[in-house]
């Protein structure tokens, strides 16, 4: 086995575990670190087959003590989602194996199939991709699993919000007051819970970006809750990547694709403001992978400014 780079090294116990889940005559011939993950290390494993060809798998490993503490629940939920999604038409990886408590691996790990395509974070072609994202999310929310995943959880509170430097205190105070109220009643849906451009793979023909198509949806953290939560999460990511107007537009595209959101403006405001304020706590960790992917202009400060502008736009439009 050869490593693509030093960071791609996989621990011996994990290599042995992966090998036990390969077909007869297969072996791991290369590992390659995949960049962009925040909570876990991601690697592509190239598998040599006995026919002399190769295939790829993806290994997710939780090594940071902060995240390994909660890895069991997350990996079990993802494994359940990948099993559920088989045959649904939603382009998700297939589960190969999972070791959520690190009984066989050095760290909690999940092994899945590799999907074609790539994440696309550029401004060019955003209009087409936003429409595709909306349609894909409607399809996800249309799923009706026999067994519901865990109920959604939101961790941000009025006391944990980080107000960006230079933001209008009155606007942010009003936004924070929105999430002091109880969550509005909602009709539950099957949620991805981290649906955003960084977790969607595209095939974009260089000669015609308008013919882009989605080839995969990854990094599932399934929950049961309001469709507005997934829409709000994708909206704030689009606002930070491409500008506040794109965050506002996504909800419109979702409804045009047949999605149903909360009935009243105040209910919609609650969910969108809640996710926007949650982003205030994660600006640094979110923006770094984007810069590594080539969006070097998205400094922490630049993303903070876009978040401020988006929160202001939400309060103006729905508040």
């Amino acid at each position: 086995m050869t490593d693509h780079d030093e960071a791609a090294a996989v621990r011996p116990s994990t290599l042995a575990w992966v090998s036990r889940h390969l077909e007869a005559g297969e072996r791991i011939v290369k590992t390659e670190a995949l960049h962009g993950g925040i909570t876990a290390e991601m690697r592509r494993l190239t598998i040599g087959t006995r026919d002399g060809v190769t295939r790829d798998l993806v290994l997710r490993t939780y090594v940071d003590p902060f995240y390994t503490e909660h890895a069991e629940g997350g990996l079990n939920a993802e494994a359940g989602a990948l099993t559920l999604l088989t045959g649904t038409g939603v382009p998700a990886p297939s589960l190969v194996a999972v070791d959520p408590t690190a009984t066989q691996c050095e760290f909690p790990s999940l092994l899945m199939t590799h999907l074609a395509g790539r994440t696309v974070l550029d401004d060019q072609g955003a209009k087409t991709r936003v429409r595709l994202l909306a349609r894909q999310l409607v399809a996800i929310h249309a799923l009706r699993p026999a067994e519901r995943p865990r109920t959604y959880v939101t961790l941000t509170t009025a006391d944990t919000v980080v107000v960006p430097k230079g933001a209008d205190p009155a606007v942010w105070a009003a936004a924070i007051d929105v999430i002091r109220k109880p969550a509005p009643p909602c009709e539950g849906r099957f949620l991805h819970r981290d649906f955003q451009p960084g977790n969607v793979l595209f095939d974009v023909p260089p000669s015609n970006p308008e013919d882009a198509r989605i080839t995969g949806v990854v990094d599932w953290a399934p929950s049961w809750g309001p469709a507005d939560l997934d829409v709000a999460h994708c909206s704030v990511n689009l606002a930070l990547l491409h500008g506040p107007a794109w965050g506002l537009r996504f909800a419109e595209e979702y409804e045009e694709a047949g999605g149903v959101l909360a009935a009243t403006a105040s209910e919609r405001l609650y969910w969108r403001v809640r996710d926007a304020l949650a982003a205030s706590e994660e600006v640094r960790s979110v923006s770094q992978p984007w810069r590594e992917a080539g969006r070097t202009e998205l400094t922490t400060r630049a993303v903070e400014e876009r978040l401020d502008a988006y929160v202001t736009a939400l309060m103006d439009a729905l508040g």
Side-chain angles (χ1 to χ4, degrees):
M1 183 186 70
T2 58
D3 288 333
H4 178 78
D5 57 33
E6 189 175 326
V10 182
R11 282 73 176 179
S13 60
T14 304
L15 287 176
W17 174 74
V18 170
S19 296
R20 288 195 291 272
H21 293 282
L22 300 180
E23 300 294 331
E26 291 186 331
R27 62 189 181 92
I28 305 168
V29 297
K30 187 173 72 172
T31 71
E32 177 184 357
L34 300 175
H35 300 288
I38 297 174
T39 61
E41 291 183 358
M42 302 294 294
R43 295 181 177 87
R44 178 164 54 197
L45 309 182
T46 301
I47 310 301
T49 72
R50 58 186 175 183
D51 298 326
V53 297
T54 61
R55 67 186 181 100
D56 291 331
L57 298 176
V58 173
L59 175 67
R60 180 194 303 282
T61 305
Y62 287 86
V63 299
D64 187 309
F66 179 82
Y67 295 112
T68 56
E69 182 179 349
H70 307 287
E72 182 178 359
L75 289 179
N76 280 330
E78 183 172 16
L82 299 186
T83 301
L84 164 72
L85 291 163
T86 301
T88 62
V90 174
S94 296
L95 177 67
V96 177
V98 63
D99 182 14
T101 57
T103 57
Q104 301 177 66
C105 303
E106 187 166 348
F107 298 104
S109 301
L110 183 144
L111 186 66
M112 63 192 123
T113 56
H114 177 268
L115 299 178
R118 61 186 178 90
T119 55
V120 184
L121 305 178
D122 300 334
D123 287 336
Q124 183 179 9
K127 179 179 180 181
T128 296
R129 296 196 307 276
V130 166
R131 185 175 298 117
L132 292 173
L133 287 169
R135 292 173 182 172
Q136 184 63 74
L137 191 54
V138 169
I140 291 170
H141 290 166
L143 297 175
R144 296 293 181 267
E147 183 176 345
R148 292 182 180 180
R150 58 191 176 184
T151 302
Y152 76 92
V153 174
T154 57
L155 301 178
T156 297
T157 69
D159 296 325
T160 61
V161 174
V162 181
V163 179
K165 180 180 178 181
D168 186 330
V171 171
W172 278 75
I176 291 171
D177 281 343
V178 169
I179 69 168
R180 293 185 193 276
K181 303 171 186 176
C186 65
E187 181 179 357
R189 291 284 185 271
F190 179 79
L191 306 180
H192 179 284
R193 207 58 184 97
D194 193 13
F195 187 84
Q196 44 95 359
N199 287 331
V200 178
L201 305 177
F202 288 89
D203 174 30
V204 183
S207 59
N208 190 3
E210 295 300 316
D211 286 340
R213 64 185 182 91
I214 291 176
T215 59
V217 182
V218 300
D219 206 7
W220 291 80
S223 298
W224 189 261
D228 291 76
L229 260 180
D230 269 353
V231 172
H233 190 63
C234 193
S235 294
V236 70
N237 276 270
L238 290 169
L240 303 185
L241 267 174
H242 306 304
W246 290 102
L248 297 174
R249 181 168 181 167
F250 184 69
E252 299 172 1
E253 292 284 356
Y254 177 82
E255 290 187 294
E256 288 181 10
V260 178
L261 294 173
T264 69
S266 62
E267 291 171 337
R268 297 182 185 202
L269 180 68
Y270 176 88
W271 297 114
R272 270 185 258 180
V273 165
R274 169 164 285 287
D275 210 273
L277 297 185
S280 75
E281 304 170 35
E282 303 173 341
V283 168
R284 187 177 300 276
S285 61
V286 167
S287 59
Q288 182 176 344
W290 292 345
R291 291 194 297 275
E292 292 173 353
R295 295 296 303 273
T296 55
E297 79 281 11
L298 293 179
T299 63
T300 299
R301 182 59 186 148
V303 173
E304 286 177 339
E305 291 174 346
R306 285 189 173 184
L307 178 60
D308 178 31
Y310 178 59
V311 169
T312 300
L314 283 177
M315 297 305 293
D316 286 344
L318 298 173

